[in-house]
């Protein structure tokens, strides 16, 4: 997700509220330090009978498909929680604002909803989160970005879920050298968005390539670049043996489609933001199936994990006709992790913002059943080093199937240690 994307599309500032919160951003009512007779400390977003969360999403910009999936998955979670009596005796509501991947709109939306929320289980976009960091830290609003730049680490109130972009690319280089014949002395291409997403991914690929004796040939692009013919031409001239891409689904489809049409049949690896199941309905489908792999901290939606299968069944029933993509799994997992934090804070009798952040950081092995356990106790490190490798499959739920189960590379920890 790239900073320049906010200049691509003008976005409406539509807002709506989930889980019966109504149309006011002050849903849930005013809060006090002692929110109820149960002795649980409250604060903004917490009353005697309600917990109000916030979400700053993209429903009208370049990641609108992802935003819709995450919003719907988190609504499903809130509905399920409330049907079971809520959390800490309180019903959960989520106030949702669409920023259209525009940083200034996101800042305005945060200013509007922040007085009446306790936490945010969804904020889409590295540039958006970067623009809000100071406010989030000042207000102590526990925030789960749908963004994975390493620059977001080190903040008490901000939790990158899963791996960061650089760790994903270390895994990608390892996969290429282990299974795709890339060897010492070879060149690999890396096409990447300018901004935090691409630059962080390039850090990881460059480090891993150096360890493997491989050279990275970089190609920086903008979010407005949807025809990657020039990049394919440049990489083909360099004789690369494989290509990494850290961009959006449209760019991945263009890269793979153009490469295949020109006889450049090399393996291509992206991370989760670079693929969407909708691509399997485009002319690029055969090339994607033949050439692409995806590295991610989350399992594929087609996973046999019981919790994933249940989520898919529940989502399909609640939203018939909606694609069950990686955004559904990502959004639902974030909501489940937020639930674990809220329950821990309730047990500690402190649902204030500070209490929720403290409860979150006290957890070192949280497992929702939707992937691998995550460690939130060290603000400076990724929550996990485990990654899955998947590949496109038009017939599979979510558009991908498992190639390699979750595994942790010693090199990833070595890389983090080398950065201090």
């Amino acid at each position: 997700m790239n900073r320049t994307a906010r200049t691509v599309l003008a976005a409406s500032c539509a807002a709506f509220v989930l889980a019966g919160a109504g149309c006011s951003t002050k849903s849930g009512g005013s809060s006090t330090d002692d929110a109820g007779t149960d002795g649980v400390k409250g604060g903004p977003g917490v009353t005697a009978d309600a917990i109000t969360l916030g979400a700053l999403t993209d429903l009208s910009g370049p990641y609108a498909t992802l935003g819709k999936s995450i919003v719907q998955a988190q609504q499903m979670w809130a509905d399920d929680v409330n049907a079971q009596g809520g959390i800490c005796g309180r019903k959960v509501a989520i106030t949702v604002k669409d920023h259209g991947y525009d940083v200034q709109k996101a800042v305005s939306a945060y200013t509007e909803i922040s007085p009446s929320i306790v936490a945010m289980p969804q904020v889409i976009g590295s540039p958006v989160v970067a623009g809000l960091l100071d406010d989030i830290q000042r207000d102590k609003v526990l925030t789960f970005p749908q963004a994975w730049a390493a620059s977001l680490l080190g903040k008490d109130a901000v939790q990158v879920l899963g791996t960061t972009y650089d760790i994903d690319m270390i895994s990608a280089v390892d996969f290429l050298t282990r299974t795709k014949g890339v060897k010492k002395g070879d060149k690999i291409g890396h096409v990447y968005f300018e901004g935090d997403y691409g630059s962080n991914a390039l850090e990881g690929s460059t480090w891993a390539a150096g360890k493997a004796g491989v050279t990275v040939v970089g190609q920086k692009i903008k979010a407005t670049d949807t025809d990657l013919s020039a990049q394919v031409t440049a990489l083909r001239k360099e004789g690369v043996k494989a290509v990494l891409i850290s961009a959006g689904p449209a760019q991945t489809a263009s890269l793979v489609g153009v490469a295949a049409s020109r006889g450049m049949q090399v393996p291509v690896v992206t991370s989760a933001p670079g693929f969407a199941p909708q691509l399997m309905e485009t002319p690029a489908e055969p090339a994607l199936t033949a050439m692409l792999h995806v590295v991610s901290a989350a399992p594929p939606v087609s996973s046999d994990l019981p919790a994933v299968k249940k989520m898919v069944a529940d989502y399909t029933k609640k939203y018939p006709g909606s694609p069950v993509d990686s955004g559904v799994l990502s959004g639902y997992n974030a909501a489940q992790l937020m639930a674990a934090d809220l329950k821990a804070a309730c047990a500690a009798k402190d649902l204030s913002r500070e209490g929720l952040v403290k409860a979150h950081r006290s957890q070192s092995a949280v497992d929702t059943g939707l992937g691998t356990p995550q460690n939130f106790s060290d603000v400076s490190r990724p929550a996990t080093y485990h990654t899955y490798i998947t590949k496109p499959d038009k017939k599979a739920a979510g558009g991908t199937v498992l190639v390699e189960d979750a595994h942790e590379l010693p090199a990833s920890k070595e890389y983090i240690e080398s950065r201090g």
Side-chain angles (χ1 to χ4, degrees):
M1 296 185 183
N2 184 273
R3 187 180 302 272
T4 60
R6 67 178 184 267
T7 65
V8 181
L9 296 173
S12 64
C13 216
F16 56 98
V17 177
L18 305 179
C23 293
S24 168
T25 59
K26 295 182 179 180
S27 68
S30 59
S31 57
T32 61
D33 286 343
D34 186 0
T37 58
D38 54 4
V40 176
K41 184 179 180 181
V46 178
T47 68
D49 55 10
I51 295 171
T52 303
L53 306 172
L56 301 178
T57 192
D58 180 5
L59 296 172
S60 56
Y63 288 94
T65 300
L66 176 72
K68 180 181 178 182
S69 294
I70 295 169
V71 165
Q72 291 188 163
Q74 293 189 343
Q75 177 176 3
M76 181 174 76
W77 164 79
D79 289 346
D80 290 345
V81 164
N82 291 335
Q84 297 171 33
I87 294 176
C88 206
R90 295 159 171 83
K91 294 297 179 72
V92 176
I94 310 176
T95 301
V96 179
K97 289 286 187 178
D98 172 27
H99 56 59
Y101 213 73
D102 183 301
V103 175
Q104 291 307 312
K105 288 182 179 179
V107 170
S108 296
Y110 177 81
T111 300
E112 183 180 349
I113 70 172
S114 59
S116 57
I117 62 171
V118 64
M120 294 192 291
Q122 177 198 165
V123 178
I124 285 184
S126 295
V128 169
V129 182
L132 293 171
L133 269 182
D134 290 344
D135 290 339
I136 289 171
Q137 281 290 92
R138 178 199 66 213
D139 297 338
K140 298 181 175 61
V141 177
L142 180 62
T143 298
F144 295 165
Q146 290 290 325
W148 297 269
S151 59
L152 302 178
L153 298 175
K155 312 294 189 298
D156 279 340
V158 177
Q159 180 63 64
V160 177
L161 302 178
T163 50
T164 45
Y165 297 125
D166 45 3
I167 299 300
D168 287 347
M169 288 299 100
I170 290 171
S171 181
V173 172
D174 170 76
F175 176 71
L176 291 171
T177 56
R178 275 191 302 106
T179 72
K180 296 300 177 181
V182 175
K183 61 185 183 301
K184 187 175 182 178
D186 285 343
K187 295 179 180 179
I188 58 174
H190 194 162
V191 179
Y192 61 96
F193 273 164
E194 62 183 8
D196 288 345
Y197 173 14
S199 62
N200 185 221
L202 184 66
E203 287 177 27
S205 67
T206 302
W207 185 89
K211 285 287 184 179
V214 174
T215 300
V216 172
V217 180
Q219 291 284 312
K220 184 190 294 187
I221 62 173
K222 299 179 180 180
T224 49
D225 296 332
T226 55
D227 179 358
L228 301 193
S229 299
Q231 287 74 27
V232 170
T233 297
L235 294 176
R236 187 177 185 183
K237 185 176 180 181
E238 289 284 347
V240 301
K241 302 299 183 182
V243 181
L244 307 174
I245 179 163
S246 301
Q251 288 76 21
T252 299
S254 177
L255 173 75
V256 176
V258 171
S261 70
R262 297 184 180 180
M264 185 179 166
Q265 296 285 340
V266 298
V268 178
V269 185
T270 189
S271 54
F275 178 80
Q278 290 83 355
L279 296 183
M280 305 306 284
E281 303 298 329
T282 71
E285 182 269 327
L288 292 165
T289 300
M291 298 169 61
L292 186 67
H293 285 82
V294 183
V295 57
S296 173
V301 175
S302 59
S303 169
D304 287 332
L305 288 171
V308 176
K309 293 179 73 173
K310 183 180 185 305
M311 180 206 71
V312 171
D314 292 347
Y315 189 86
T316 301
K317 181 178 180 180
K318 190 174 184 69
Y319 304 108
S322 290
V324 188
D325 55 21
S326 61
V328 174
L329 180 57
S330 181
Y332 194 74
N333 186 51
Q336 292 278 53
L337 292 168
M338 184 64 72
D341 291 338
L342 289 167
K343 291 173 183 177
C346 177
K349 299 291 185 181
D350 190 353
L351 278 172
S352 68
R353 289 175 175 176
E354 295 86 348
L356 186 56
V357 170
K358 182 178 180 181
H360 174 74
R361 291 299 175 189
S362 70
Q363 302 190 71
S364 59
V366 187
D367 189 355
T368 65
L370 298 169
T372 57
Q374 300 198 53
N375 181 358
F376 301 136
S377 63
D378 189 340
V379 299
S380 66
R381 304 298 169 94
T384 182
Y385 295 93
H386 287 82
T387 55
Y388 297 81
I389 303 292
T390 68
K391 66 178 182 179
D393 186 323
K394 186 175 182 178
K395 296 180 180 179
T400 64
V401 293
L402 185 68
V403 174
E404 291 186 355
D405 208 349
H407 55 283
E408 179 180 289
L409 298 178
S412 295
K413 288 189 174 180
E414 180 186 351
Y415 163 79
I416 293 294
E417 294 293 339
S418 72
R419 299 181 68 214

